Amino acid sequence: MDLKNKHLLDIASLSKEEIEDILNLAENLKEILYRPIPKVPTLRGKLIIHLFYEPSTRTRFSFERASKTLSADTLTFTGKGTSVEKGETLLDTIKNLEAIGADLFVIRHPVAGAPHFIAKYSKVPIVNAGDGTHEHPTQALLDLLTVKEKLGTLSDLKVTIVGDIKHSRVAHSDILAFQKMGSTVWVTGPAQLLPDFKEEDYYKITKNGFKICYNLEKAIKEADVVIALRIQKERHGEALVPSFLEYHEFFGLTPKHLELIKENAILMHPGPINWGIELAYEMEKYPSQVILDQVENGVAIRMAILLKLLTGEKVYESFG
Ligand code: CP
């Protein structure tokens, strides 16, 4: 699959084969990160501009690490201290940074659809690093890579996503990604945080399984993968959860829940974590939680995406 000069905007528009191709390349690239000098010259001379209109630790710094490991030049833009503060539009910012020499933009934006909008006008590839409540495709890809590494397969799994599904771009990308790979996705959480979309909307897209369940215990029973989500307080607009203590009581994952899931099941969280709300503090010690493995895999996935979009590379034997 040739993704050269294309945009990576969402999981919805990636085929299963394209997803597999990105995962395979990321698996091959990972060894570079363990070399004494973790750097290859592949993207020397390319300028990657990271536009982060919203806060980020994992996505922003793993994209920067990925870009630098591939020897690209990087600029990071957060809006502060730029002409955005004087009212410059997103489109004008893009046009001006293209004129400065950008070869690819990575963009995180609070408005759903912002990356899709600029992709219509940009002469260079756009990567969506999270747009409002819509999608976070690179997070879903690193989640897939982590599950593939830990469980050896991405098909016929029961994947349960717990929490603020409605406002979570991670959930929206993960639901599509895991189904595309042939697994069944269950979502659970308080009714007011469950999605507006109908189950059949998601069946139509993927022709696989998707289940909305209001009972945490039933949703996680015999799960292979449990993904806890952060409560997206900043996107609620009004108080949707009466109290976080109450949320924890009914939907926080605690050691007692581990008895319900499969023996080799893994526990994931995209971060940042509200310990004591979506996850009990003790869960940090749970041997099958793979939260930092997800973060580590984020670097390799983002390296693979940058290579695909800028060079169209297929899987390499080795990167010298
Ligand atoms: N998972 C995730 O997107 O984290 P950041 O907001 O820190 O990038």
Side-chain angles (χ1 to χ4, degrees), residues 147 151 157-161 178 222-227 265-268:
V147 172
L151 300 184
L157 300 172
K158 176 177 177 179
V159 178
T160 304
I161 309 180
F178 281 103
E222 293 292 306
D224 299 280
V225 177
V226 177
I227 303 175
I266 56 172
L267 172 67
M268 304 172 78

Side-chain angles (χ1 to χ4, degrees), residues 139-140 143-144 147 157-179 183-190 193-195 197 202 209-221 223-232 247 251 253 261 266-270 278-279 294:
Q139 177 72 42
D143 287 347
L144 291 178
V147 172
L157 300 172
K158 176 177 177 179
V159 178
T160 304
I161 309 180
V162 183
D164 189 357
I165 313 292
K166 188 174 189 170
H167 301 95
S168 170
R169 55 194 174 209
V170 174
H172 300 154
S173 288
D174 273 349
I175 289 167
L176 293 170
F178 281 103
Q179 287 186 93
S183 287
T184 300
V185 181
W186 291 59
V187 298
T188 187
L193 298 182
L194 288 181
F197 47 70
Y202 273 68
F210 175 67
K211 297 191 187 307
I212 298 174
C213 177
Y214 297 92
N215 179 284
L216 173 65
E217 281 73 21
K218 189 174 171 199
I220 64 172
K221 196 167 187 319
D224 299 280
V225 177
V226 177
I227 303 175
L229 297 174
R230 183 174 71 85
I231 295 275
Q232 310 266 311
Y247 177 86
F251 286 97
L253 292 170
I261 62 181
I266 56 172
L267 172 67
M268 304 172 78
H269 192 300
E278 58 262 14
L279 292 180
Q294 291 172 260

Side-chain angles (χ1 to χ4, degrees), residues 19-27 141 144-145 154 301:
I19 292 173
E20 282 170 344
D21 210 19
I22 292 168
L23 298 181
N24 288 339
L25 182 55
E27 279 172 329
L141 291 166
L144 291 178
L145 180 61
L154 288 169
I301 280 292

Side-chain angles (χ1 to χ4, degrees), residues 1-8 13-22 25 125 304-316:
M1 302 292 146
D2 194 356
L3 292 176
K4 190 174 177 187
N5 296 330
K6 300 213 170 118
H7 307 294
L8 195 143
S13 46
L14 284 178
S15 67
K16 183 182 181 203
E17 291 70 32
E18 284 168 333
I19 292 173
E20 282 170 344
D21 210 19
I22 292 168
L25 182 55
I305 289 164
L306 297 176
L307 274 179
K308 286 267 170 214
L309 302 189
L310 285 170
T311 74
E313 293 301 358
K314 300 272 177 201
V315 176
Y316 266 54

Side-chain angles (χ1 to χ4, degrees), residues 55-60 108 129 136 139 169-170 270-272:
S56 168
T57 300
R58 283 146 287 270
T59 313
R60 174 177 157 186
R108 167 167 293 190
H136 192 349
Q139 177 72 42
R169 55 194 174 209
V170 174

Side-chain angles (χ1 to χ4, degrees), residues 63-137:
F63 262 116
E64 289 193 18
R65 171 87 165 131
S67 304
K68 287 174 164 64
T69 299
L70 296 169
S71 297
D73 293 321
T74 60
L75 295 174
T76 296
F77 177 103
T78 62
K80 286 207 170 57
T82 72
S83 291
V84 170
E85 293 183 344
K86 299 179 207 160
E88 184 170 73
T89 66
L90 175 60
L91 191 51
D92 273 343
T93 298
I94 292 293
K95 284 181 183 165
N96 280 275
L97 293 175
E98 268 180 2
I100 287 168
D103 291 297
L104 180 146
F105 292 106
V106 173
I107 179 165
R108 167 167 293 190
H109 201 281
V111 176
H116 302 67
F117 168 68
I118 56 170
K120 284 193 177 151
Y121 301 97
S122 171
K123 298 188 190 88
V124 302
I126 304 288
V127 180
N128 180 2
D131 63 321
T133 58
H134 176 227
E135 273 222 38
H136 192 349

